Amino acid sequence: MTSVKITLFQKDLSQPVSPEQRAKLSKEKSDFLILPLYFPGGGNGSPESLASRAKTFLDEIYAISEVYKGAIFGGGMFRRDDEGQLRFSIPIIQNIVLVDWYDVKGLSSEDSPAIPGSGEDSLILGGFRFGIFAGKEIQDKSKLEKLKSDRINLAFHLDSVSDNGTNYSQDLKNYADLSSQYGMFLVRSSGYGIPFGKKRIGRSLLSTPTGVTWKVAETEQEKEIIKTVNINGINGLF
């Protein structure tokens, strides 16, 4: 088993990264930086119009990569793939290079003009093997079962939580239960704002097989927070 350091960035979805935040990120010596769903772009526009601005949004992530030296998962943006299909995707960037895209499979109603992805449920990067979930994909029990059967016990969840969804304490319990059931370390980075006219709140957290060990307070659901967590006990590649 090994350890991993992960930086979560709970973010106002509509605002760019400030110079002060870039300076703080430059000092974070972590392996991964997890940005929330719908950042950048904030869901301000239709999926088609947002896809036309994908290069600009990607440049925002590259600007972070100029100062932050780990791998960046950030956050969730609409784009046209090589065949011109509309996708909702998570860019994976390191050293100012686009390593890959994760095309979201479980799309929400506001994402529906996009075509669901069909790639792998787990990734290998930086000597770590992990799962990735976007939004409601965390409800996909078959995906969680597959990770468990493959002995993968680390997963990133890029999210933005509906303001009229599960209440705070129940939400924490749900993640604790998932971690316990699947023996999984779940790292959720959640943004806040009004993507597609629907209010979202930030509920970033780290859930482990023994419970939720870090979380934003209920009073911090609309606050920008940068937090690095150190996780011990990650299963190796083999």
Side-chain angles (χ1 to χ4, degrees):
M1 292 187 173
T2 187
S3 62
V4 61
K5 286 187 177 181
I6 302 171
T7 300
L8 301 88
F9 194 171
Q10 178 166 296
K11 187 83 186 67
D12 182 338
L13 301 173
S14 66
Q15 296 299 314
V17 176
S18 69
E20 293 79 13
Q21 289 168 336
R22 290 184 74 220
K24 179 170 175 56
L25 289 171
S26 72
K27 298 174 184 177
E28 300 294 328
K29 308 304 181 186
S30 52
D31 301 289
F32 300 102
L33 168 63
I34 315 298
L35 298 170
L37 216 57
Y38 301 120
F39 176 82
N44 295 322
S46 67
E48 292 87 353
S49 67
L50 290 165
S52 70
R53 300 162 60 196
K55 183 181 183 303
T56 299
F57 297 146
L58 204 56
D59 285 344
E60 288 192 43
I61 310 300
Y62 285 139
I64 300 172
S65 188
E66 289 177 352
V67 298
Y68 173 80
K69 299 311 175 185
I72 303 171
F73 286 73
M77 64 181 68
F78 294 91
R79 68 181 183 104
R80 296 284 177 182
D81 66 15
D82 293 341
E83 298 177 353
Q85 299 273 20
L86 182 65
R87 302 281 187 180
F88 185 45
S89 306
I90 294 169
I92 304 166
I93 293 172
Q94 187 167 27
N95 298 325
I96 326 178
V97 173
L98 178 65
V99 177
D100 205 353
W101 293 97
Y102 170 76
D103 295 328
V104 178
K105 300 176 180 181
L107 299 172
S108 300
S109 57
E110 52 264 37
D111 312 326
S112 59
I115 305 299
S118 58
E120 295 294 324
D121 291 328
S122 62
L123 303 171
I124 297 175
L125 188 64
F128 299 97
R129 196 174 180 203
F130 50 88
I132 182 167
F133 295 86
K136 71 175 189 178
E137 289 183 333
I138 196 66
Q139 301 167 18
D140 185 347
K141 299 299 176 64
S142 64
K143 187 170 178 175
L144 287 160
E145 289 285 1
K146 179 67 164 58
L147 294 176
K148 183 178 181 179
S149 68
D150 289 343
R151 295 191 68 255
I152 297 171
N153 67 343
L154 173 66
F156 306 149
H157 184 200
L158 288 75
D159 202 13
S160 58
V161 181
S162 174
D163 187 35
N164 59 2
T166 308
N167 70 44
Y168 182 78
S169 59
Q170 184 62 49
D171 199 30
L172 296 179
K173 183 179 184 304
N174 289 347
Y175 276 80
D177 289 347
L178 285 176
S179 287
S180 175
Q181 181 178 354
Y182 296 100
M184 187 79 62
F185 294 91
L186 291 172
V187 183
R188 176 166 73 170
S189 180
S190 178
Y192 62 92
I194 313 178
F196 305 106
K198 298 180 179 180
K199 186 176 180 181
R200 305 295 183 105
I201 53 178
R203 285 188 182 164
S204 301
L205 58 81
L206 166 62
S207 180
T208 80
T210 58
V212 175
T213 58
W214 177 81
K215 61 188 182 296
V216 297
E218 193 168 5
T219 56
E220 297 176 319
Q221 294 179 151
E222 295 185 65
K223 182 178 180 181
E224 292 192 315
I225 295 171
I226 296 172
K227 171 69 175 182
T228 294
V229 295
N230 187 40
I231 304 174
N232 298 307
I234 302 302
N235 291 339
L237 293 177
F238 306 103

